[in-house]
Amino acid sequence: MYPWLRIRTVAMVLLVAVIAYIAGKFRYDEAGTPFQLFEIHPDHWQLVHIDVETTGLIPGYHEMIDIGIVLTDVKGNIGDSLFLRIQPDHPGRLSEGARQVNAFDVDRWKELGALQAGAAVDSIIEFHRRRTGEKRLMLVAHNSYFDAAFLDHFFRDADRSWRTLYHYYVLDISSMMWSLGFRNLTGDSLRALYKIPDEPQIPELHTGITGAMKNARTYQAIYQYRKEHFR
């Protein structure tokens, strides 16, 4: 083999190795923004704790009727929050179980200033743009599949994507507690340990923002427990 050909071959191998390294270190979200997978630097991220109330348990059939959003840093320190009531397109699909949990009523929602779905999506996007700056956002929820599935349908019905706001990983509070040895997935035992109050269970007072605040408090307890027991 000619020396110049050998040098070119080595150069090509090195180039492929560099490309493979970069491709492995970075991924791109749906907005085309690169993010690193190796490490989450605390100063570069915010956690977005959400909780939604719905007309039932089936995403895509039942609908969101409110949402609570609480912004924290990675230690759980609360920065800001948003609460919106949403008027569903198909209120007749309300299940009795959901009504007993959140007391949804079409006329009451109108009196309380519920937004139409499109306006609610716009408000959520504007809130994030105004309050989160350039930081990467990680969605956090208790039983995250449920909330993320409803959020996905909610945004897609408005021809939007919630993925343009959040990292494609979603953190699940129940899984965090399970990994620490807590088998009560409601979080009651962990919150009792630190005397952290639950949210109201009266249907008229039980909303997405009371749930999101509870989620943030539970995350704070998880962070504290991990700090005390896994040094």
Side-chain angles (χ1 to χ4, degrees):
M1 180 181 293
Y2 295 107
W4 65 267
L5 186 57
R6 183 180 294 111
I7 293 173
R8 189 176 70 173
T9 301
V10 171
M12 289 297 295
V13 171
L14 290 174
L15 178 61
V16 170
V18 169
I19 293 173
Y21 171 77
I22 295 174
K25 188 173 182 180
F26 290 90
R27 295 290 186 270
Y28 291 82
D29 61 18
E30 293 190 5
T33 305
F35 47 80
Q36 292 193 44
L37 298 182
F38 286 167
E39 182 179 3
I40 294 179
H41 192 285
D43 293 338
H44 297 165
W45 291 79
Q46 274 190 311
L47 302 183
V48 184
H49 303 264
I50 73 163
D51 185 61
V52 303
E53 292 298 324
T54 70
T55 58
L57 299 177
I58 305 173
Y61 177 77
H62 294 120
E63 299 165 274
M64 287 170 46
I65 52 94
D66 78 21
I67 182 171
I69 300 174
V70 177
L71 303 179
T72 76
D73 60 19
V74 298
K75 295 181 179 180
N77 298 309
I78 295 175
D80 205 347
S81 64
L82 176 70
F83 174 59
L84 299 174
R85 294 185 190 270
I86 303 153
Q87 199 67 264
D89 293 329
H90 305 284
R93 296 176 181 177
L94 174 69
S95 71
E96 178 58 22
R99 188 191 66 79
Q100 291 179 6
V101 170
N102 54 47
F104 171 73
D105 176 80
V106 172
D107 293 333
R108 180 168 174 260
W109 249 237
K110 289 180 181 178
E111 293 175 0
L112 293 171
L115 300 175
Q116 295 300 316
V121 170
D122 289 341
S123 294
I124 292 170
I125 293 173
E126 174 58 26
F127 170 76
H128 284 78
R129 288 176 176 170
R130 177 167 42 88
R131 302 303 300 171
T132 61
E134 298 298 322
K135 292 190 176 183
R136 300 290 301 171
L137 306 179
M138 184 80 75
L139 202 65
V140 187
H142 195 119
N143 186 17
S144 59
Y145 162 77
F146 180 87
D147 297 89
F150 271 96
L151 194 66
D152 179 44
H153 281 281
F154 181 62
F155 268 68
R156 285 198 285 124
D157 286 346
D159 295 322
R160 305 291 187 90
S161 173
W162 65 281
R163 295 293 191 181
T164 61
L165 295 176
Y166 308 121
H167 190 284
Y168 78 100
Y169 279 108
V170 176
L171 298 183
D172 181 67
I173 289 177
S174 297
S175 298
M176 294 183 205
M177 292 188 298
W178 185 277
S179 71
L180 296 177
F182 292 92
R183 298 298 181 255
N184 181 330
L185 296 181
T186 63
D188 291 344
S189 56
L190 177 62
R191 286 191 298 273
L193 182 63
Y194 292 101
K195 297 181 173 57
I196 296 173
D198 196 357
E199 66 177 316
Q201 298 305 318
I202 300 171
E204 288 78 8
L205 302 178
H206 184 92
T207 67
I209 193 60
T210 64
M213 285 293 185
K214 180 186 74 172
N215 291 349
R217 293 193 296 268
T218 305
Y219 177 85
Q220 291 168 350
I222 291 171
Y223 189 92
Q224 184 63 30
Y225 186 89
R226 178 69 173 79
K227 183 178 179 180
E228 293 174 359
H229 293 82
F230 297 88
R231 295 180 179 178

